[in-house]
Amino acid sequence: MTETGEVSLRPSGGASGAAARHAADAALAAELRERYGFLRQVVADMERSVPYAAALVSGVDGLRLNLRDGEQQASRRDPQHGIVLTASNGSFLEEVATDATDPAAVRRAAHDLVEGVRSRRSAAGGPADGGASPLGIDPGPPLEGDFATPVQIDPLQETLAQKLARYEALRQRVRALDRRVVQGTARYSDGVETKVFVNRAKFVTEVLHRVSLNLTVFVSDGQQRRYDWLSLGGTGGLERLAVGDEDLERMRDTAVALLSARPVPPGTYDVVTDPSVSGVLAHEAFGHGVETDMFLKDRARGAAYIGRQVGSEHVTIMDDPTVPGGYGSYFVDDEGQPATPTCIIKNGVLQQGLSDLFSATRLGITRSANGRRESFARKAYARMSNTFFAPGAYTREQVLESLEDGLLLVQASSGMEDPKGWGIQVSTHYAREYRGGRPTGVVYAPISLTGYVPDVLHHVSMVADDLELHAGGCGKGWKEYIPVGDGGPHLRTRVRLG
Amino acid sequence: MFDQIVAALEQHPGVSDWTVSHRRSRSVQLYLIGRETESLRDVASEEFDVEVCNDHPAPAAGAAGTSPGTAPATPGVEGTVRGVAGLKLVPADAGRLAQRLDDAVLMAQLVHNPPYALAAPATYPEVPLADPELVSAQGAARAGQDFAGQLWELVEREAGVRLSASELFLTYSEVELRNSRGIRVASAGTRVLSELVLLAGDGGAEEAEHFRQLQGRRLADLHLPAAVAEAAQAARDTLRARAPRTGTGPIVLSGDALIPLFEAFTYQASAAAAYMKLARFEVGESIYGQRDVTGERLTLRANALRPFGLASHCCDGDGLPGQDTLLIEDGVLRARHATQRYAQYLGIPATGAPGNTEVATGGTSLDDLLNAADGAALYHVVGFSAPDVDPITGDFGSEIRLGYEITPQGRRPIKGGSVGGNVFEAFADARFARELLERGEYAGPAGVRFAALRVSGDD
């Protein structure tokens, strides 16, 4: 690995496993410090003209494999490498982002940014956007540190040939599961994300290792095609991607069962949500709903409900970037705030939001570590990390056995928030019918869960103790995609399905 | 750096063929909260998309990395397979080109695909893609400020509505593509993306929002005055909207609620779907299968040549010229859109990336489609929260963000609940509006009336 965190296709030499990765990441951090040490001076120079300045260098690199019948693709995962310089003009934040990161180019970009702020300020006869109140940004307490994801089985210690052989073999196992299988696909990715954040109080480096694997089986009865998938991912190494025979068999059984699935009769149902559906519920309901940039825009009803009951006493929702192995885990956010857990809802009472630098400063609230960017080329917003329902006191079996007449909702595929109206949509792959606490064998698909968020949360009557986190991607509206985790235990509630 | 990359590819003994696409972009990004600026950003980036091909002997069946279907497919190259590796390069790679290229060749040597030939030089159509106002950085910055001023003024004119937030991205890109068969073609284009959030209030504490994403090649393509007026009305209607009633019945989908449904047909008409054995219908067959067709039949084109179309291009990523392809005519699949690679795998003409979706309009006015004269309630949905259409099964379902319940007694706004169905079934009994809507990558009927879709609402 070199200073930009790039990934070699050849195994790195030396010591093996976790210790070798730890040593390599320490060396990488030292390289990053050496290479970007000049940013301290760049920030100091900028702050001679503006009240606050910061720099973030970020890079992503890695490998992608895409395997299916008759076709194999291997590619370098979209590399990104660049710097964003931030300057407060006293009222709002102005930024320049560029992929030129050598000292001369960065100093030139910093100069242009400050000059732009100055010229707009003089054209406006004072701070730009004179209507806004002064923006007093706190750089936070001093922080010097190097952080790296612990890795047990290092993907960078394996050759491409080894990875191809492993995932093609896995795909072949999917392909051979049943005579009705018409296609099996495997998508693998590993990547290293490097960051250097600098402001007048901080100089922090971060190395994140992230892996993901998606297996999909497609079956046909000659008339129609159905499919099911297994999706794994996390921060760390290949230990996050373990697949067992039972996982593959469950995938096959589901895909085959879906060949005889019927549409769910529209209506309101008692349901149990599996951890993936619970996770998307948490994410859409009170993840997006408490991003404080949405408070600033008057787009979140939750702003008026801090300290108020918004769900049953069984509901506790967390956002935690420190979860070991979480797909959305990190050590420091993209605006230099050290990662800490945030309790969003405790026993049904809304506690606090998830903030970025600008909205926290404008609103005068305590910052959380949720200022995240899609890349150096994008603005930071208040974003989630790993968002989940906290586990409860029941076992999974107790929760399912309580379903007298209802549905188990399985495998969330997507969701959508509506922080202003508190509507929610969760698209779910399928549902299994339960009567008297037992599955009847009837399968419904597809399932659209909709409802009014407080209704859904107030109806949560049982929470199991089987917390699981899943890997996912999250957009802000229809763009700004970042990796996140979400999850929860099995939950019992009542929702509208169609 | 481009010339260096090309020279390195040409000299590398492990490279059988190559394609390089160089993209340079500059973007002005403006973020507004109400009447204040939240952020102003200037972004410059450059990247090279490199595809490296390595032809090598086919591995023994069952060898690591082989998969069914990787047997040689091209006469004359018996026993040869083609490995392809994707390599994206950024300026930070400038000092390590040789190592990057070695890595890509190594990747290509390890994957095995049926051989195919790269695209050959062709005559490329002239397709206008750029707004001259946005080509220079100064022009884009000025346009951004003008946009903010116009937006504030337009919103101020709307009763009961205020601007929550808006984002504007003005991007200019230059792309040059070369390949080892001699293609050398360049194009330039602009893209405009705006997000608009309006809040409507009732004078008390209650407010409702309407979110709209606008996209086009030119600022004028956003039709800002009309978009603000429509968004303002939508925000006011959302404020008094109630849930629909549960049932199955006629539904008209229009605008953003309608457009995603056609994606399932475009996917099913692709060579990729056929090659993956996931296509539901063959060329020459009805897209409705055995179903009786009681409505108007679908005609759909993939057109990359529409002036200023968001998905228009003079040349796709393989170097194929942009084309206008009739995919479905009167409900019958006429052709598949095929990239260079899949076209050869299936032995069909290469059409290139599909471009814009164009759907033939129908014979009925949208007003007539919205007529509920038979006494039953008709739902008209204008926006879903997140349209979720499965291109393989055709199943779809989504929460209603805004719609209307229309009865002989009048029209009331609805939100919440969901609409669900299967597109391949629904289009067998559908009537298309005669009004043309052009939005982003779509040009086609402004609305479609489906005879029976499921609504989940108040029981």
Side-chain angles (χ1 to χ4, degrees), chain B residues 36-82:
Chain B
E36 293 181 12
T37 304
E38 180 194 10
S39 186
L40 184 60
R41 311 186 77 243
D42 193 352
V43 179
S45 63
E46 183 176 12
E47 63 186 29
F48 298 84
D49 255 321
V50 184
E51 192 172 79
V52 173
C53 303
N54 172 272
D55 295 336
H56 50 268
T66 57
S67 67
T70 53
T74 304
V77 286
E78 190 68 27
T80 300
V81 292
R82 168 157 279 200

Side-chain angles (χ1 to χ4, degrees), chain B residues 249-262 366 369-370 378-384 387 389 396-404 406 414 418-423 426-427 430-433 435 437 442 444-455:
Chain B
I251 293 185
V252 174
L253 302 181
S254 66
D256 292 339
L258 170 68
I259 295 168
L261 267 56
F262 295 106
L366 186 56
L369 292 182
L370 293 171
L378 167 74
Y379 286 121
H380 174 206
V381 179
V382 298
F384 286 124
V389 183
F396 73 95
S398 184
E399 183 193 33
I400 299 169
R401 191 50 67 90
L402 179 64
Y404 300 91
I406 301 168
I414 56 168
S418 63
V419 174
N422 183 285
V423 287
F427 272 89
R431 288 159 62 202
F432 303 131
E435 292 88 348
L437 172 71
Y442 172 80
V448 174
R449 177 168 172 151
F450 299 96
L453 293 176
R454 297 188 307 276
V455 174

Side-chain angles (χ1 to χ4, degrees), chain B residues 74-159:
Chain B
T74 304
V77 286
E78 190 68 27
T80 300
V81 292
R82 168 157 279 200
V84 182
L87 173 67
K88 192 167 271 187
L89 297 167
V90 292
D93 296 309
R96 296 183 295 277
L97 278 183
Q99 182 209 324
R100 289 294 190 206
L101 194 52
D102 286 347
D103 287 347
V105 170
L106 178 63
M107 271 198 268
Q109 285 168 338
L110 289 168
V111 296
H112 319 300
N113 294 293
Y116 66 96
L118 297 190
T123 303
Y124 295 97
E126 288 286 330
V127 187
L129 302 172
D131 184 339
E133 301 292 314
L134 306 180
V135 170
S136 74
Q138 296 83 352
R142 204 167 39 242
Q145 293 304 321
D146 292 349
F147 172 90
Q150 189 190 8
L151 178 61
W152 285 327
E153 194 183 313
L154 287 167
V155 174
E156 224 156 67
R157 284 187 214 155
E158 293 292 336

Side-chain angles (χ1 to χ4, degrees), chain A residues 2-4 6-10 35 61 63 67-81 84 91-101 120 129 131-133 160-161 164-165 168 171-172 175 182-183 185 218 223-227 263-264 266-268 293-294 296-299 301 356 358 362 373 375-381 413-421 423-425 427 429 445-446 448 450-451 476-480 496-498, chain B residues 29 31-33 35-47 49 64-70 84-93 96 99-100 102-104 106-108 110-114 145 152 162 164-165 167 169 193 195 197 199 206-209 211 213 243-244 246-248 272 275-280 341-342 345 384-388 390-393 395-401 415-421 454-459:
Chain A
T2 74
E3 74 276 9
T4 54
E6 69 195 36
V7 178
S8 171
L9 298 170
R10 299 169 179 82
R35 179 169 178 175
D61 209 337
L63 172 72
L67 311 173
R68 52 197 182 211
D69 283 6
E71 194 173 5
Q72 301 180 324
Q73 295 170 353
S75 57
R76 183 183 182 196
R77 191 175 139 174
D78 284 355
Q80 294 162 354
H81 182 74
V84 54
S91 301
F92 60 88
L93 300 177
E94 299 197 30
E95 294 189 329
V96 168
T98 172
D99 47 21
T101 57
R120 276 184 285 277
D129 227 18
S133 54
L160 174 63
L164 266 169
E168 180 58 32
R171 193 190 78 80
Q172 293 291 353
R175 197 67 181 77
V182 295
Q183 178 66 272
T185 63
F218 297 85
Q223 299 296 312
Q224 56 172 333
R225 286 162 179 76
R226 292 282 178 178
Y227 59 92
V264 67
T268 302
D293 55 342
M294 305 292 264
L296 205 56
K297 297 165 186 170
D298 289 334
R299 290 191 66 190
R301 185 170 294 205
D356 62 326
F358 182 77
R362 270 267 171 265
R373 299 176 190 268
S375 74
F376 73 94
R378 297 296 192 147
K379 176 183 170 296
Y381 296 82
S413 54
S414 65
M416 194 62 180
E417 78 279 15
D418 175 16
K420 189 69 176 177
I424 190 168
Q425 170 184 327
S427 298
H429 194 38
S448 281
T450 60
K476 190 97 166 171
W478 296 102
K479 54 185 183 63
E480 314 296 342
R496 183 166 55 210
L497 303 178
Chain B
Q29 303 172 356
Y31 302 79
L32 306 175
I33 298 180
R35 288 202 65 109
E36 293 181 12
T37 304
E38 180 194 10
S39 186
L40 184 60
R41 311 186 77 243
D42 193 352
V43 179
S45 63
E46 183 176 12
E47 63 186 29
D49 255 321
T66 57
S67 67
T70 53
V84 182
L87 173 67
K88 192 167 271 187
L89 297 167
V90 292
D93 296 309
R96 296 183 295 277
Q99 182 209 324
R100 289 294 190 206
D102 286 347
D103 287 347
L106 178 63
M107 271 198 268
L110 289 168
V111 296
H112 319 300
N113 294 293
Q145 293 304 321
W152 285 327
R162 65 190 174 101
S164 158
E167 297 185 2
F169 288 30
L193 182 148
E195 288 187 351
V197 185
L199 297 173
E206 199 59 28
E207 279 192 321
E209 79 162 32
F211 170 93
Q213 189 181 67
T246 294
T248 299
Y275 187 66
M276 284 186 72
K277 301 183 233 17
L278 298 177
R280 300 169 64 94
R341 182 174 183 170
Y342 291 122
Y345 285 177
F384 286 124
S385 297
D388 189 11
D390 187 324
I392 294 163
T393 65
D395 291 334
F396 73 95
S398 184
E399 183 193 33
I400 299 169
R401 191 50 67 90
K415 69 172 180 182
S418 63
V419 174
R454 297 188 307 276
V455 174
S456 177
D458 283 346
D459 296 337

Side-chain angles (χ1 to χ4, degrees), chain A residues 438-461:
Chain A
R438 295 278 177 274
T440 65
V442 174
V443 176
Y444 295 105
I447 307 286
S448 281
L449 179 163
T450 60
Y452 183 62
V453 166
D455 285 350
V456 175
L457 296 189
H458 277 294
H459 279 118
V460 173
S461 54

